[in-house]
């Protein structure tokens, strides 16, 4: 099978939601299921956790559906009856992905009437999706940092993009005259439900719902379209940096210069490194946090055993919930950035950066792990 | 209009506690010529504000790229016009 046909098959397999398939097991029949949904940018992170959890003596199964950050947010925020029938707009349907102990992605069938989501996964804050703070009984809990990136085909000669350029490329399209990206059929984007697009939207001041280009549905769609473009110089797309790191053979990441910045920077210190140095120290501004959106009880803790364990695993609360992995290492190996390796922070989407001093600095461990 | 992209492997000379190293910046001419940045162009010291953070002098070995694209729709004062 060629690399191209393998990629096409993978994209087809990830087209969601799909109708139930007779050969798939019911998701609810899998051992200790925890249902998460939303961001596609955190796919490698969820896959890594899912593999380890399913390999335990008493296995847990992560059930994951990726349709975009705001879909995950809405599945929880609109779920006003989390223990009853699904409210309008709540829950997920069709098929979902889970991982066996070898890390193989498999498919299972969700309940025909909808499956409640334990934790919505989002690259952006709840209010970025809904325009409102989380409703009473729902909490937005921040996790590791995710960088987003502009990418071009490997054959492109482009190496950098300014925020001002991106404003004209994606806000105006062809009429923006920001060469060489003036063909809207070669701008591969997402949509307003995508955390990737929302973060980029806040970074370059083009509202997520007004982007010019072709909506490729999810990260895999953008990666495929950009990587196989026959017009490389005119082609550009947006993906999570973690996804880019796994497709460096077909894509080139552009250095980015923010508004009011002097010079463009890669997320990493160089085009070939993996240290996310410029994200961690604030030179690369296109980043957000993984947000876990979940129902909480009266004390503010995740309301169910499933959601509590998932949140504790990611936030590293091993005092309350034992973990079968070192979440810092899982995070790093999934090309995300644990907050303990960050030197800067922000408190709103695309908001101003300020210094950050983690309680326990893991920068050295981060750099050693990624091989820098 | 021709344009230029400079790639600079940052020197250590920007930091208040550092001395400039003899390495010359790596410069790549991508699409013709404009100009190199003149004088100190990064924030020296401990950055505290957003603008200081994004413009802090990068550590040695960090790639920094200067690009001057032609953007015909940019306002003369350098501000952006509203979206169509």
């Amino acid at each position: 099978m060629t690399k191209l046909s393998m990629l096409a098959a993978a994209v087809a397999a990830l087209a969601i939601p799909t109708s139930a398939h007779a050969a798939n097991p019911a998701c609810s029949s899998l051992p200790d299921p925890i249902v998460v949904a939303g961001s596609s940018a955190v796919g490698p992170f969820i896959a890594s956790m899912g593999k380890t959890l399913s390999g335990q003596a008493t296995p847990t199964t992560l059930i994951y559906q990726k349709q975009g950050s705001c879909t995950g947010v809405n599945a929880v925020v609109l779920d006003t009856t989390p223990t009853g029938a699904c409210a309008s707009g709540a829950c997920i349907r069709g098929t979902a992905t889970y991982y066996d102990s070898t890390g193989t992605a498999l498919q299972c069938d969700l309940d025909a009437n909808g499956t409640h989501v334990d934790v919505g996964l989002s690259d952006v804050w709840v209010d970025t999706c809904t325009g409102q703070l989380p409703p009473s009984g729902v909490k937005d809990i921040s996790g590791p940092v995710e960088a987003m990136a502009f990418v071009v085909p490997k054959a492109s000669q482009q190496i950098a993009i300014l925020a001002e350029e991106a404003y004209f490329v994606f806000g105006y399209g062809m009429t923006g005259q920001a060469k060489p990206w003036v063909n809207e059929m070669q701008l591969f984007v997402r949509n307003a439900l995508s955390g990737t697009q929302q973060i980029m939207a806040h970074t370059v001041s083009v509202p997520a719902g007004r982007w010019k280009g072709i909506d490729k549905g999810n990260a895999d769609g953008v990666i495929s379209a950009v990587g196989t473009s026959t017009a490389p110089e005119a082609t550009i797309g947006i993906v999570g940096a973690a996804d880019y790191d796994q497709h460096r053979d077909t894509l080139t990441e552009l250095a980015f210069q923010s508004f009011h910045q002097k010079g463009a920077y890669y997320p990493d210190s160089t085009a070939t490194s993996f240290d996310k140095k410029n994200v961690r120290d604030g030179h690369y501004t296109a980043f957000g946090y993984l947000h876990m959106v979940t129902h909480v009880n009266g004390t503010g803790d995740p309301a169910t055993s499933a959601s509590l364990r998932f949140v504790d695993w990611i936030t590293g609360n091993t005092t309350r919930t034992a973990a079968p992995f070192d979440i810092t290492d899982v995070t790093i190996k999934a090309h995300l950035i644990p907050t303990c390796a960050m030197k800067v922070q922000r408190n709103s989407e695309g908001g101003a950066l300020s210094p950050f001093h983690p309680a326990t600095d893991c920068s050295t461990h981060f750099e050693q792990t990624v091989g820098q | 209009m021709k344009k230029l992209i400079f790639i600079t492997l940052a020197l250590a000379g920007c930091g208040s506690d550092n001395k400039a190293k003899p390495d010359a910046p790596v410069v790549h001419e991508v699409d013709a010529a404009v100009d190199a940045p003149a004088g100190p162009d990064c924030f020296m010291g401990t950055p505290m504000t957003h603008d200081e953070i994004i413009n802090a002098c990068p550590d040695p070995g960090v790639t920094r790229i200067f690009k001057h694209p032609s953007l015909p729709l940019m306002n003369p004062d350098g501000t952006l016009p509203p979206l169509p």
Side-chain angles (χ1 to χ4, degrees):
Chain A
M1 180 179 271
T2 66
K3 186 180 291 184
L4 185 59
S5 60
M6 289 174 65
L7 183 59
V11 170
L14 290 168
I16 50 178
T18 58
S19 58
H21 189 284
N24 294 336
C27 298
S28 58
S29 71
L30 297 170
D32 186 27
I34 298 178
V35 181
V36 299
S39 167
S40 60
V42 296
F45 181 59
I46 298 302
S48 178
M49 286 181 66
K51 173 185 175 181
T52 301
L53 290 167
S54 66
Q56 299 303 298
T58 304
T60 292
T61 311
L62 289 189
I63 311 293
Y64 172 47
Q65 193 181 75
K66 50 179 179 180
Q67 293 175 273
S69 291
C70 293
T71 302
V73 167
N74 290 333
V76 174
V77 167
L78 298 177
D79 192 2
T80 54
T81 55
T83 59
C86 293
S88 177
C91 302
I92 55 176
R93 292 168 176 79
T95 62
T97 301
Y98 69 100
Y99 304 91
D100 67 14
S101 59
T102 69
T104 301
L106 302 168
Q107 298 292 302
C108 63
D109 293 336
L110 297 162
D111 295 342
N113 294 324
T115 297
H116 293 282
V117 173
D118 293 308
V119 181
L121 302 175
S122 175
D123 308 326
V124 293
W125 272 273
V126 166
D127 66 299
T128 299
C129 293
T130 66
Q132 299 177 319
L133 294 175
S136 176
V138 173
K139 194 171 182 179
D140 179 337
I141 303 162
S142 289
V145 169
E146 306 171 80
M148 302 301 173
F150 293 100
V151 292
V152 296
K154 207 68 181 172
S156 170
Q157 299 299 306
Q158 302 301 311
I159 61 171
I161 186 169
L162 279 58
E164 290 85 353
E165 281 184 288
Y167 178 85
F168 288 113
V169 171
F170 295 104
Y172 281 68
M174 181 182 66
T175 61
Q177 302 177 55
K179 296 177 181 178
W181 302 298
V182 293
N183 182 348
E184 293 175 25
M185 300 302 290
Q186 299 298 327
L187 311 180
F188 297 118
V189 300
R190 301 286 299 281
N191 54 60
L193 296 177
S194 158
T196 301
Q197 186 147 317
Q198 286 285 0
I199 287 176
M200 286 308 202
H202 284 80
T203 303
V204 304
S205 297
V206 177
R210 298 181 63 180
W211 278 47
K212 304 291 187 182
I214 306 298
D215 177 4
K216 299 306 295 183
N218 56 35
D220 301 289
V222 173
I223 290 165
S224 175
V226 175
T228 60
S229 172
T230 56
E233 211 59 22
T235 298
I236 188 171
I238 54 171
V239 296
D243 277 318
Y244 165 72
D245 282 343
Q246 298 190 332
H247 295 85
R248 290 190 177 200
D249 57 332
T250 59
L251 306 177
T252 293
E253 186 176 48
L254 297 181
F256 176 69
Q257 179 175 317
S258 183
F259 292 121
H260 309 296
Q261 192 171 25
K262 298 170 183 172
Y265 294 86
Y266 295 108
D268 307 289
S269 57
T270 68
T272 57
S273 58
F274 290 85
D275 57 16
K276 301 291 176 287
K277 181 177 181 59
N278 291 320
V279 181
R280 295 189 289 123
D281 69 13
H283 283 102
Y284 187 89
T285 62
F287 74 84
Y289 298 85
L290 169 62
H291 297 260
M292 292 164 282
V293 183
T294 189
H295 291 279
V296 293
N297 58 26
T299 61
D301 292 321
T304 67
S305 168
S307 57
L308 179 73
R309 284 180 290 147
F310 185 84
V311 168
D312 280 352
W313 284 328
I314 291 186
T315 57
N317 189 349
T318 53
T319 302
R320 186 164 63 183
T321 303
F325 39 62
D326 182 324
I327 192 62
T328 300
D329 286 341
V330 172
T331 302
I332 296 169
K333 289 173 182 173
H335 301 278
L336 302 182
I337 307 169
T339 54
C340 59
M342 292 294 291
K343 305 295 186 191
V344 298
Q345 64 181 348
R346 62 167 33 120
N347 297 311
S348 63
E349 220 70 74
L353 300 179
S354 61
F356 176 67
H357 305 286
T360 303
D361 190 331
C362 65
S363 297
T364 301
H365 177 63
F366 181 94
E367 290 164 6
Q368 289 173 342
T369 303
V370 299
Q372 302 303 313
Chain B
M1 178 179 177
K2 293 183 176 181
K3 48 187 176 178
L4 173 69
I5 298 178
F6 286 106
I7 300 178
T8 302
L9 291 178
L11 298 175
C14 293
S16 57
D17 298 328
N18 297 322
K19 294 180 179 178
K21 292 184 175 178
D23 316 67
V26 176
V27 178
H28 289 235
E29 185 174 337
V30 172
D31 188 19
V34 176
D35 55 335
D41 62 346
C42 58
F43 176 78
M44 294 182 282
T46 303
M48 299 301 293
T49 68
H50 177 82
D51 280 3
E52 290 172 353
I53 288 170
I54 64 174
N55 289 306
C57 295
D59 289 339
V62 172
T63 299
R64 186 182 187 195
I65 298 171
F66 294 97
K67 181 181 182 184
H68 302 274
S70 173
L71 298 172
L73 299 189
M74 185 81 86
N75 292 327
D77 64 357
T79 60
L80 296 169
L83 291 172

